[in-house]
Amino acid sequence: MAVRTPSSRIRRAVVPLALCAGLTAGLTACGADPDEGTNGVGKLSAPEIERKAQSAADTAKAVRLAGTLVSKGGTFKLNMRLKQDGAAGSVTTKNSTFELLRVGDALYLKADAGFWAHDDKATEEPTEADTEAADKLDDMYVKVPQGDPSYKQFRGFTDMDVLLAGLIGLHGEKVKGDRDQIGGVRTIKVKGGAEGEGGTLDVALEGFPYPLQFARGGGAGVVVLSEWNKDFPLAEPSKEETLDYGKQLPRR
């Protein structure tokens, strides 16, 4: 009968442990329950996880949305704090950055002189009069009249329900993906289609199952959602820093 030496017994114990560590170098330890300490949504089917995330978003009172979006009109970056009765933040396009502030139905646009002087449709350089007019608008809050054609477009960037509905909806068959971390919070991915061609949503596995990140299909941008239900103050700008042109914005 062979007698195992202490060293051989140690080797026999170490090999399975090493294999276990190598196979689970991701988020969980070998044999550990990946749902331990979570809110349990990771055990649900992909459609159920998406519904939980949508329900959590629908009942939230505030959120920060930041990221890059790609559309036929170009690429733009959003950094908006949103709640039901208003929003504040910035939008960056290829040519400019402008701030938006909405308190109720009152919507304000703030930008530098370059924003007001530049016109994508213009075939000539701005005149001296154009430049002088733009200088007066520099860094001022310009009230966007509700009757102006651009009101609806700009307001869309400040409408929490509209943005969330448009940015976190998956298309195609829902497929459960890998686990990950967003901002230090464990998440479960839900994909639209096997390859995420209809978008990929990261849903929080800790606390409420809020959507924490959405990657649009086809590389059309990624947005991060944070500060859920974290309120923030909103107030209309003072008269000294506001310009009101009545029924129409200044022409650009």
Side-chain angles (χ1 to χ4, degrees):
M1 177 178 177
V3 178
R4 293 194 184 99
T5 63
S7 60
S8 66
R9 288 197 296 270
I10 292 173
R11 285 197 299 272
R12 289 173 64 86
V14 167
V15 170
L17 288 174
L19 288 173
C20 169
L23 292 172
T24 60
L27 298 176
T28 60
C30 185
D33 180 1
D35 293 299
E36 183 178 356
T38 73
N39 53 24
V41 300
K43 299 178 181 180
L44 303 177
S45 68
E48 289 174 323
I49 296 171
E50 185 196 28
R51 285 195 292 271
K52 287 281 188 181
Q54 291 284 3
S55 178
D58 289 344
T59 57
K61 296 180 179 179
V63 66
R64 179 188 287 274
L65 189 153
T68 301
L69 302 175
V70 181
S71 67
K72 293 180 180 179
T75 300
F76 55 94
K77 296 180 181 179
L78 288 178
N79 188 359
M80 299 294 302
R81 296 193 70 182
L82 308 152
K83 56 183 179 178
Q84 295 298 331
D85 60 348
S90 65
V91 180
T92 300
T93 67
K94 178 181 179 181
N95 297 310
S96 58
T97 296
F98 56 90
E99 296 179 28
L100 291 171
L101 170 65
R102 182 172 65 83
V103 183
D105 289 327
L107 178 63
Y108 300 89
L109 172 66
K110 183 180 182 181
D112 61 19
F115 172 88
W116 296 106
H118 179 80
D119 187 345
D120 293 330
K121 298 178 181 179
T123 57
E124 300 178 357
E125 290 295 317
T127 65
E128 184 176 343
D130 292 333
T131 302
E132 290 179 358
D135 287 341
K136 294 179 181 179
L137 301 173
D138 181 47
D139 216 29
M140 296 287 287
Y141 284 99
V142 178
K143 190 170 185 178
V144 183
Q146 293 187 40
D148 191 279
S150 61
Y151 178 86
K152 184 177 181 180
Q153 176 187 358
F154 285 130
R155 182 181 172 123
F157 289 117
T158 71
D159 192 310
M160 181 175 170
D161 292 336
V162 169
L163 276 180
L164 291 181
L167 294 180
I168 63 173
L170 294 169
H171 301 284
E173 182 182 359
K174 311 305 184 295
V175 179
K176 189 189 293 189
D178 297 331
R179 291 163 188 261
D180 204 344
Q181 286 193 3
I182 303 295
V185 178
R186 287 180 289 174
T187 65
I188 181 76
K189 294 182 184 294
V190 180
K191 300 183 291 183
E195 302 300 324
E197 58 271 22
T200 300
L201 186 66
D202 272 89
V203 180
L205 287 174
E206 301 172 22
F208 284 98
Y210 288 122
L212 298 187
Q213 180 175 280
F214 184 71
R216 303 176 78 195
V222 178
V223 293
V224 175
L225 303 110
S226 61
E227 299 180 28
W228 285 101
N229 265 339
K230 186 175 181 180
D231 197 15
F232 58 95
L234 279 176
E236 294 188 44
S238 67
K239 292 182 179 180
E240 290 74 19
E241 54 184 347
T242 303
L243 292 174
D244 188 343
Y245 283 83
K247 295 182 179 181
Q248 189 174 0
L249 279 179
R251 294 182 62 185
R252 292 179 60 226

